[in-house]
Amino acid sequence: MVGRVGYHPPYGAGDHEIAGGGSVCGRGDCSDLVWACVPMNIKGVLTEAERGGAIVRPEGAKDRRDIAATRLVMDNSFAIPATWAQDRPRLPAPHQVAIELWQTTVMKKITSKRSLVFHAWVTLSATLLGFAIGTGLGILLAVGVVHSRVMDMSVMPWAIVSQTIPIIALAPMIIVVLYSIGVQGIIPKAVISAYLSFFPVVVGMVKGLRSPDMMQLDLLRTYHASKAQGFWKLRLPASMPYLFTSLKIGIAASLVGAIVGELPTGAVAGLGARLLAGSYYGQTVQIWSALFAAAILAACLVGLLGVIERATLRRMGMA
Amino acid sequence: MNSPVVEATNLDLTFQTNDGPVQALKDVNLTIDKGDFVSFIGPSGCGKTTFLRVLAALEHPTGGSVTVNGVSPDEARRKRAYGYVFQAAGLYPWRTIARNIKLPLEIMGFSKAEQEGRVKNVLQLVDLEGFGGKYPWQLSGGMQQRASIARALAFDADILLMDEPFGALDEIVRDHLNEQLLALWARTGKTIAFVTHSIPEAVYLSTKIVVMSPRPGRISDVIDSPLPKERPLDIRDTPEFLEVAHRVREGLRAGHAYD
């Protein structure tokens, strides 16, 4: 693995080696990641070792700056184990992230400011509130689109436009505007969350509410059924499989929204705040463990929706 | 002796399509009496389904007049005068068979107790007792179609409009269902309008066979069947049956010679 990095011409600047190391990581499995740490972290390790009195080739951080990381690794192989045990590595080794995750979840009281469970809960509460608002709004809009020609023509283009605006640009404005009218805390984050999650619900529900074919609609006409009866007895139940698909996309988007909502405020709590604090202080292990915590949380939420979906569809006799 | 259930006079229907107007029905005159079993037969595009949809007020004629039970089809629909059976069973997959049959009853506001009683009755009529708790996917295609007939019978409409209800089923199942349909008709005394493109099916079932021809859709022959009301399946080998079938075939051929 290390040898492969060496195929890259030694451009010199350290950033190029990051790209080389990245391609090794991209292969995916964990042992690749472990090896990727070596060239990524070697310069920092050698600087520290030199300070501690070790003999490093070549001497002097300034001279080492323009030398390819792989060259340094080959010349100073004694330093390899240290690349997996730095306090602030450029790229932490998987076990460092795993240990950090363990220590900040299981080993910390959940009321502690350093507990990832505490931070995850702060983000999760905004996520769930935003998801509920977004889902409700999405369903209402979809019902309007299906039943009103005016809404059919007008809502969809705006919904699509709303999703083309980068949320990272919009989030600070939402927070500032809401703050100026005295709204802060969980609400602004939930609004950003809802903004991201209503869209898949609208698209899915419009499709779902329109899924009954002409024959089924004609059948209701022969019964002289009202529009409301058609909605409750045919369109809504028929849309359920579509709804759950949308909800799974929506909840993941909600979580992203809540995290992004924590970034521009300098929030002190939440997974987004952990990411931000980690990047301020060069705590890469903290950044990576917050990223994994977010990924695990999203997986749990989507998995939970999957369970609810199966239970609901089974009760309806459709699964 | 019988009052007419359906009376169509000089009925015209033209669809406005992107390629210009298409005349689906032209100058259709037909009377259906109470208790008749009328089959509509003809090649595709002859307007047989369209005529049935006009009776159900799902399409509206552009000329002439039509009455159902002496009133306009729209009014007849409001009075829930007919049950409609489509080519596909169209049962809701999220409802059991019993709850599918309850669908029209819920919409029409029958009481819970009344619903239960009626479901039990019609399940018996179509020979599906004990299947009320099953979901549609647990039933064969023929059973699903019987359930959809039960659904159309549940609210006790006098007229049953059936649009190729057995078209998607294999011949053995179809024979069996035809026999059952005749028995059901004999027991309930309903007026049935039945669209098909199978000559033996039309001849076997009907008291009156309406032969239609396409472009524009019109009636080319109306045959009053001389067959007795009691019809075992092997009546299809008798000379009388073959004679009627022959006349239907002649009618269809005459219609085709037109274009």
Side-chain angles (χ1 to χ4, degrees):
Chain A
M1 288 301 106
V2 175
R4 191 174 177 278
V5 178
Y7 291 135
H8 290 268
Y11 292 119
D15 292 21
H16 291 279
E17 266 82 26
I18 293 178
S23 78
V24 174
C25 287
R27 293 245 191 122
D29 75 65
C30 217
S31 69
D32 280 5
L33 271 171
V34 171
W35 286 111
C37 294
V38 177
M40 286 287 281
N41 299 335
I42 189 74
K43 282 177 185 168
V45 167
L46 291 180
T47 307
E48 272 173 50
E50 199 167 38
R51 246 181 243 147
I55 295 161
V56 174
R57 286 193 309 164
E59 284 176 23
K62 198 165 167 247
D63 290 340
R64 286 194 298 272
R65 204 185 63 194
D66 291 341
I67 296 175
T70 40
R71 176 93 248 143
L72 292 174
V73 172
M74 284 187 274
D75 290 346
N76 303 283
S77 52
F78 73 91
I80 290 175
T83 61
W84 299 322
Q86 278 183 292
D87 274 348
R88 294 181 187 181
R90 192 184 274 175
L91 179 67
H95 70 271
Q96 289 179 297
V97 177
I99 290 168
E100 169 80 4
L101 269 176
W102 177 261
Q103 283 178 344
T104 51
T105 52
V106 182
M107 306 298 283
K108 281 268 185 317
K109 269 202 279 186
I110 58 165
T111 49
S112 160
K113 285 268 155 60
R114 304 195 58 182
S115 163
L116 262 188
V117 178
F118 163 77
H119 290 286
W121 167 247
V122 170
T123 304
L124 179 63
S125 54
T127 301
L128 292 180
L129 181 60
F131 178 64
I133 297 170
T135 302
L137 186 70
I139 291 174
L140 279 181
L141 282 175
V143 172
V145 165
V146 170
H147 285 96
S148 145
R149 200 175 146 64
V150 176
M151 282 188 75
D152 186 18
M153 309 281 278
S154 59
V155 169
M156 263 322 196
W158 286 106
I160 291 163
V161 165
S162 77
Q163 301 303 301
T164 61
I165 301 168
I167 191 65
I168 202 84
L170 196 64
M173 291 190 268
I174 291 175
I175 286 166
V176 168
V177 168
L178 288 180
Y179 183 82
S180 70
I181 58 170
V183 180
Q184 50 179 319
I186 190 176
I187 301 289
K189 286 198 275 174
V191 168
I192 294 162
S193 221
Y195 185 87
L196 287 189
S197 63
F198 88 95
F199 184 67
V201 177
V202 174
V203 174
M205 279 304 276
V206 167
K207 182 96 181 145
L209 291 173
R210 285 195 174 139
S211 63
D213 56 26
M214 273 314 286
M215 197 199 79
Q216 288 182 310
L217 296 171
D218 277 345
L219 181 68
L220 285 182
R221 278 177 70 198
T222 69
Y223 299 151
H224 197 61
S226 68
K227 263 195 165 187
Q229 286 170 326
F231 177 78
W232 291 109
K233 294 197 188 296
L234 175 60
R235 288 187 190 273
L236 192 63
S239 72
M240 278 304 124
Y242 296 84
L243 175 65
F244 278 105
T245 308
S246 300
L247 291 184
K248 284 185 194 165
I249 303 168
I251 192 117
S254 276
L255 184 65
V256 171
I259 291 172
V260 169
E262 285 162 353
L263 294 180
T265 49
V268 289
L271 291 175
R274 280 294 270 192
L275 285 173
L276 205 61
S279 71
Y280 282 159
Y281 301 111
Q283 295 285 0
T284 45
V285 179
Q286 183 184 319
I287 297 177
W288 280 87
S289 54
L291 281 179
F292 273 99
I296 292 164
L297 188 59
C300 291
L301 289 171
V302 173
L304 183 68
L305 276 173
V307 170
I308 297 172
E309 175 183 26
R310 269 199 299 284
T312 308
L313 294 187
R314 187 165 300 149
R315 259 201 70 186
M316 289 172 76
M318 288 163 81
Chain B
M1 53 167 195
N2 279 329
S3 58
V5 170
V6 171
E7 218 165 6
T9 328
N10 303 327
L11 194 69
D12 282 316
L13 195 152
T14 308
F15 288 117
Q16 297 299 333
T17 69
N18 290 336
D19 301 332
V22 172
Q23 191 154 31
L25 291 174
K26 185 182 155 60
D27 205 18
V28 171
N29 290 288
L30 186 71
T31 306
I32 300 176
D33 290 323
K34 192 166 168 48
D36 269 352
F37 195 129
V38 184
S39 283
F40 295 85
I41 189 165
S44 52
C46 72
K48 51 195 195 298
T49 294
T50 307
F51 185 69
L52 211 63
R53 289 175 64 86
V54 167
L55 297 185
L58 295 173
E59 308 287 354
H60 293 92
T62 46
S65 73
V66 60
T67 60
V68 177
N69 283 345
V71 295
S72 76
D74 271 306
E75 189 132 332
R77 184 182 66 181
R78 274 194 286 279
K79 288 181 175 165
R80 281 131 183 181
Y82 63 84
Y84 203 106
V85 179
F86 292 86
Q87 180 162 13
L91 301 167
Y92 291 1
W94 56 87
R95 283 175 174 244
T96 59
I97 297 304
R99 291 201 57 231
N100 263 293
I101 296 171
K102 275 183 201 166
L103 176 73
L105 304 177
E106 287 170 14
I107 288 171
M108 295 172 191
F110 286 82
S111 73
K112 280 262 187 303
E114 175 106 36
Q115 288 179 21
E116 295 295 337
R118 280 169 180 262
V119 167
K120 211 168 153 244
N121 264 340
V122 290
L123 277 178
Q124 213 161 12
L125 270 178
V126 298
D127 221 0
L128 279 178
E129 299 115 308
F131 288 93
K134 294 265 190 272
Y135 282 98
W137 57 269
Q138 293 170 301
L139 269 58
S140 68
M143 289 164 101
Q144 288 186 24
Q145 199 51 276
R146 262 147 63 195
S148 92
I149 293 171
R151 182 178 58 185
L153 291 171
F155 49 96
D156 237 349
D158 292 334
I159 311 167
L160 207 50
L161 304 175
M162 306 178 88
D163 185 5
E164 293 187 41
F166 309 139
L169 304 173
D170 68 69
E171 198 158 338
I172 299 163
V173 176
R174 184 191 268 230
D175 278 352
H176 181 60
L177 289 182
N178 281 340
E179 212 177 359
Q180 282 194 319
L181 182 60
L182 272 188
L184 192 132
W185 172 63
R187 239 186 306 171
T188 56
K190 294 200 186 296
T191 309
I192 298 180
F194 189 96
V195 167
T196 180
H197 47 221
S198 154
I199 295 173
E201 190 173 63
V203 178
Y204 176 67
L205 290 172
S206 322
T207 57
K208 189 184 255 189
I209 301 157
V210 179
V211 183
M212 298 185 75
S213 59
R215 281 175 291 272
R218 64 205 181 283
I219 294 176
S220 53
D221 197 4
V222 177
I223 303 163
D224 284 304
S225 174
L227 299 177
K229 236 186 152 179
E230 281 292 318
R231 298 176 188 182
L233 271 175
D234 36 22
I235 200 172
R236 293 179 298 181
D237 298 323
T238 62
E240 292 86 358
F241 185 96
L242 295 175
E243 199 185 325
V244 179
H246 180 74
R247 201 176 143 192
V248 172
R249 195 167 290 118
E250 288 295 309
L252 288 173
R253 200 167 295 153
H256 260 291
Y258 230 82
D259 55 333

